[in-house]
Amino acid sequence: GERAGRMEKTVFGYVWRFSRRQQITMTLMSAASLPFLYLFYEVPKTIINEAIQGIGIEYPLHLNEKLTFSLFGLDIPLLGPFDLTVEQTPYLFLLCVLFLALVGVNQGFKYVINVYKGLTGERMLRRLRFELYARVLRFPLPTFRKMSQGEIIPMITAEVEPLGGFIGDAFSLPAFQGGYLATILAFLFLQDWRMAAAAVALYPLQLWLIPKLQRKVNLLGKERVARVRRLSDKIGETVQGVQESHAHDNSNFVLTDFSNQLYWIYGVRERIYRQKFVIKFLNNSIQQLGPFAFYSIGGYFVIQGQLEIGTLVAAIAAHKDLAAPWKELLNYYQMQADAKIKYDVVISQFGPAGMRGAEYQLDEPDDLGPLHGELSATNLTLTDDQDVAVVDGVSLRLALDRRYAIVGTGGSGKEELTLLLARLLDPSGGNLSVGGNDTALLSEAVTGRRMAYVGASAFVFAGTIADNLFLGLKHRPLHPRDYSEVEAKQRAVYVDEAQRSGNIDYDLDADWIDYAAAGVNDPAALRLAGLTALKRVGMDEEIYRFGLRGIIDPGQRPDLAADILRARAGLRAHMAGDPALFDLVEGFAADAYNMNASVGENLMFGNPVGDAFDVEHLAEHDYVLNVLENVGLTEQFLSVGFQVASTMVELFADLPPDHELFQQFSFISADELPDIQALLQR
């Protein structure tokens, strides 16, 4: 609980705490790849100097002696020993095959390290997002008055996204790319120290200058994050207050405010670009000094006979590859600084005072029976943001098997007191106990299942009515789902990944409903209990009408679709036997125009499902227009439309806009009349 209650202060601390083993593994893999990298540069030199030019080699070459190269004073075998004698050409091809093999080995190391690094980063990003989301669920309710969803959403989604890439690289990239750089530099200095020293002479300047310039970019990055977060907050506020903007005609003010915020973000971005590309310009310019040193100094030594041409070619190739790790290390520094800012900024928002510990959500009591005894409060106090006491020193003792009313005027603190008693708010001072247990020590499993709170407004979650109605019965998965062998394997992979990422590994597809708590045994009985509850609160008719207006996917509920079709046929048969009833309903018939439906509904033979055939835009739909043209109805439709429009203009042209006829004929309004007149004239 204590560990879960705090987050690491630094991004490196977070990475080391949760991915220590993976970081060490990647570092060891990086170290293992370096000898092969050195060989990769040594072999081309041997190919040019010995296999092609034959310097220091007598052919035929006897490979029953070890062919070696020297590294830091040690003779390391390059080829052999083989009981073999080879001529110059076969020896060339032998070394070329070795070179090709080293290409495969080095690329293989890169592939394995990069995949492992990517997966490690993604798992850690998943862990971080899960932890931030879990903390939001434990925030004290007053926190949401200061933090809006416009701030929280981008922090958990967009702002932590770059951390995934950095976390994978946190220790392995400097180890791999630093080792890469050191290996190439060692190779260059072993060939000729003067040439190598000239090539890397300005690297110390880069190491001193780039961090100084980068620090400015980092500060600008921090400012950009804060401004974009405020922009998200502004968008959320606009969506919620759009009615007020229209009612008071201040849309232009709101737009100007938004434009102003966009301008400042643009200004920060402009400065970031200028600084970043100054850094890039310096890096690239300094990098090109290497070839200059090789061509001039190395070329001079070759002319003087102090250096073999193969050694120079190998050095140029090695220096060309030196740019990549050096650039990666500089990028890493930028990425690390950016990740530090993002981690610090996000983490600072996810540890508000009074936040409950993780055990509040996760602890499951062994014996969760009904609560007995009394509800007892001693000097219960709740203060607002200005330290004004909303609930001031309330003490009470109430038997749990009785009913009570808390009466007071608006703003008297009665609502806050009920929130305190339901443990949705934590008191600023005093104690509250239920059945002899301190509520501050009770987990949500107790308070959420044994204490109910119904406020003035309720939130309806996306999903079905049943999902919302039975939400209070879903605490833990109680009945596991039956899986096939293939599905069971997929489930095992899911559980493994969840545990690696520190996520909860419950099964979303299991049956979570606590039937016993509802006093029933199965889903059918639960549905009946739900309908009974709806009837008790007078919502049964509303839900029935809501259902009638809904849409059924026959693929998902073939039983319900078949029942509705059977009911429809039964209704038609029942009405056919009673002429008085039959005249009340006009059904769709393939050979008749339905006088109680619109032209669009007649064309569609019913109400459209989905947006493909939106009735409001049916006259612009290419497919509909094409069908009308094919069956020869286009001219007739235009003629009917012209006649109706002409009649409307004749009827309404001289009437004032507020005349009652406009209300009676709902298919035309006063403001549309000038447009129809212009259309008729055209």
Side-chain angles (χ1 to χ4, degrees):
E2 185 188 343
R3 254 178 63 132
R6 63 178 174 81
M7 291 194 75
E8 294 294 335
K9 288 187 172 64
T10 66
V11 66
F12 278 109
Y14 188 79
V15 171
W16 187 247
R17 177 173 160 190
F18 292 114
S19 65
R20 185 182 303 123
R21 187 167 59 84
Q22 289 85 349
Q23 301 295 342
I24 291 170
T25 302
M26 284 187 282
T27 305
L28 291 174
M29 283 195 286
S30 301
S33 70
L34 298 179
F36 296 96
L37 181 67
Y38 192 94
L39 273 173
F40 177 71
Y41 294 113
E42 185 69 30
V43 168
K45 183 182 105 175
T46 310
I47 288 173
I48 295 172
N49 287 346
E50 298 181 3
I52 296 175
Q53 296 189 98
I55 298 171
I57 295 287
E58 289 186 13
Y59 292 101
L61 181 66
H62 303 288
L63 289 182
N64 54 353
E65 299 171 6
K66 286 184 181 177
L67 186 63
T68 62
F69 76 95
S70 180
L71 175 60
F72 306 124
L74 296 171
D75 285 338
I76 297 174
L78 184 62
L79 278 176
F82 302 106
D83 189 13
L84 193 64
T85 302
V86 291
E87 295 291 342
Q88 187 171 6
T89 303
Y91 180 54
L92 168 66
F93 288 121
L94 195 63
L95 287 175
C96 288
V97 169
L98 177 62
F99 175 78
L100 205 57
L102 288 169
V103 169
V105 169
N106 282 307
Q107 294 307 316
F109 267 112
K110 279 186 181 176
Y111 172 78
V112 171
I113 291 169
N114 284 333
V115 169
Y116 194 80
K117 182 172 67 177
L119 293 177
T120 300
E122 281 305 309
R123 283 184 184 127
M124 288 291 285
L125 181 60
R126 179 179 171 181
R127 177 187 291 274
L128 180 60
R129 280 186 171 140
F130 180 82
E131 185 163 352
L132 295 177
Y133 185 76
R135 293 173 87 85
V136 170
L137 289 177
R138 304 201 304 272
F139 278 2
L141 288 185
T143 305
F144 296 105
R145 289 203 295 267
K146 302 171 194 168
M147 284 176 73
S148 70
Q149 62 179 4
E151 290 178 281
I152 295 171
I153 293 168
M155 279 195 277
I156 296 180
T157 53
E159 288 184 29
V160 298
E161 182 71 30
L163 291 177
F166 171 72
I167 286 167
D169 287 334
F171 293 96
S172 65
L173 188 141
F176 182 66
Q177 299 296 349
Y180 202 145
L181 191 72
T183 303
I184 296 173
L185 285 173
F187 177 79
L188 290 174
F189 275 96
L190 286 170
Q191 307 319 305
D192 190 282
W193 69 269
R194 296 161 296 186
M195 186 172 61
V200 296
L202 291 176
Y203 276 27
L205 174 65
Q206 276 179 291
L207 283 172
W208 174 78
L209 184 61
I210 301 302
K212 285 185 175 298
L213 295 172
Q214 185 61 40
R215 207 164 292 126
K216 292 182 180 177
V217 175
N218 296 344
L219 291 172
L220 289 169
K222 198 167 187 175
E223 184 183 344
R224 186 190 68 82
V225 168
R227 287 188 179 278
V228 170
R229 195 182 292 165
R230 283 203 292 275
L231 191 72
S232 300
D233 202 23
K234 185 70 184 173
I235 294 168
E237 186 184 70
T238 302
V239 170
Q240 289 176 319
V242 71
Q243 185 174 312
E244 280 72 14
S245 295
H246 293 316
H248 302 295
D249 184 32
N250 75 338
S251 302
N252 289 320
F253 176 77
V254 173
L255 282 170
T256 305
D257 185 8
F258 191 74
S259 174
N260 184 55
Q261 291 196 36
L262 290 175
Y263 170 76
W264 286 108
I265 290 172
Y266 167 80
V268 173
R269 271 291 198 190
E270 183 187 23
R271 283 181 286 161
I272 287 174
Y273 282 131
R274 291 186 189 282
Q275 295 279 2
K276 270 175 76 171
F277 289 110
V278 163
I279 294 171
K280 203 164 190 177
F281 169 79
L282 287 170
N283 281 340
N284 291 338
S285 300
I286 291 170
Q287 197 60 44
Q288 295 308 315
L289 290 172
F292 167 77
F294 288 122
Y295 293 137
S296 55
I297 301 169
Y300 173 76
F301 288 147
V302 170
I303 293 168
Q304 296 297 316
Q306 297 178 29
L307 192 69
E308 291 87 4
I309 188 72
T311 308
L312 178 60
V313 170
I316 291 171
H319 182 269
K320 186 179 168 217
D321 288 348
L322 194 66
W326 180 247
K327 189 177 177 183
E328 286 286 343
L329 285 169
L330 289 173
N331 285 343
Y332 170 80
Y333 177 78
Q334 293 174 325
M335 193 165 61
Q336 177 260 329
D338 187 47
K340 181 182 181 301
I341 289 169
K342 284 195 165 53
Y343 185 84
D344 292 348
V345 168
V346 169
I347 295 310
S348 65
Q349 300 293 317
F350 281 82
M355 189 179 75
R356 293 166 182 176
E359 67 281 355
Y360 169 71
Q361 286 175 338
L362 302 175
D363 282 2
E364 181 79 11
D366 297 328
D367 180 25
L368 188 57
L371 297 174
H372 299 287
E374 62 181 17
L375 175 72
S376 171
T378 309
N379 291 325
L380 210 57
T381 306
L382 179 70
T383 56
D384 61 16
D385 296 339
Q386 281 76 42
D387 277 342
V388 176
V390 182
V391 176
D392 193 1
V394 171
S395 296
L396 49 82
R397 294 179 68 177
L398 307 174
L400 290 177
D401 57 354
R402 302 282 296 278
R403 292 181 182 174
Y404 303 90
I406 299 170
V407 181
T409 57
S412 63
K414 61 179 180 179
E415 289 165 15
E416 288 80 2
L417 180 57
T418 55
L419 288 167
L420 285 170
L421 298 180
R423 221 227 151 168
L424 295 175
L425 282 178
D426 289 327
S428 307
N431 295 308
L432 179 68
S433 65
V434 178
N437 297 306
D438 186 349
T439 56
L441 304 176
L442 293 177
S443 71
E444 197 174 55
V446 178
T447 59
R449 299 181 212 178
R450 292 289 170 259
M451 299 161 73
Y453 175 83
V454 182
S457 60
F459 186 82
V460 178
F461 290 91
T464 64
I465 295 292
D467 290 339
N468 282 275
L469 190 59
F470 304 136
L471 196 66
L473 298 172
K474 297 178 179 179
H475 312 298
R476 300 286 189 278
L478 298 175
H479 309 286
R481 183 185 154 190
D482 291 329
Y483 284 110
S484 67
E485 192 176 338
V486 174
E487 289 173 332
K489 285 180 181 174
Q490 291 173 341
R491 171 72 190 146
V493 170
Y494 175 87
V495 170
D496 179 55
E497 280 297 333
Q499 290 172 349
R500 284 171 184 258
S501 307
N503 281 205
I504 203 162
D505 60 4
Y506 290 151
D507 185 359
L508 189 64
D509 294 323
D511 191 350
W512 286 64
I513 293 176
D514 187 349
Y515 296 102
V520 297
N521 298 318
D522 55 37
L526 182 68
R527 270 200 300 276
L528 287 173
L531 291 170
T532 305
L534 289 169
K535 198 164 190 173
R536 191 177 297 136
V537 296
M539 284 182 67
D540 51 334
E541 279 296 321
E542 285 185 35
I543 298 297
Y544 183 68
R545 288 197 207 100
F546 187 77
L548 286 178
R549 288 197 302 270
I551 297 163
I552 295 160
D553 182 353
Q556 298 238 334
R557 291 296 303 274
D559 55 331
L560 195 54
D563 286 348
I564 288 173
L565 290 174
R566 197 160 51 247
R568 187 182 287 173
L571 179 66
R572 194 182 289 270
H574 176 65
M575 288 168 55
D578 188 343
L581 284 176
F582 194 73
D583 291 340
L584 291 176
V585 177
E586 184 179 12
F588 283 101
D591 57 350
Y593 184 90
N594 191 313
M595 300 299 290
N596 282 291
S598 68
V599 174
E601 287 168 338
N602 270 280
L603 275 176
M604 304 303 296
F605 210 62
N607 282 319
V609 175
D611 299 328
F613 292 101
D614 181 8
V615 173
E616 295 297 322
H617 299 284
L618 209 57
E620 303 157 25
H621 200 291
D622 291 338
Y623 177 74
V624 173
L625 293 174
N626 196 31
V627 170
L628 291 176
E629 184 67 36
N630 288 342
V631 297
L633 278 175
T634 305
E635 290 297 324
Q636 192 174 341
F637 267 57
L638 288 170
S639 174
V640 170
F642 183 82
Q643 288 171 29
V644 172
S646 301
T647 306
M648 290 301 104
V649 169
E650 283 177 29
L651 282 173
F652 296 107
D654 299 323
L655 294 178
D658 58 350
H659 198 278
E660 63 180 18
L661 275 179
F662 281 112
Q663 277 75 46
Q664 290 174 8
F665 291 90
S666 59
F667 48 80
I668 188 166
S669 60
D671 54 348
E672 288 176 326
L673 207 59
D675 292 337
I676 292 175
Q677 284 176 315
L679 197 61
L680 284 169
Q681 286 169 1
R682 280 217 305 281

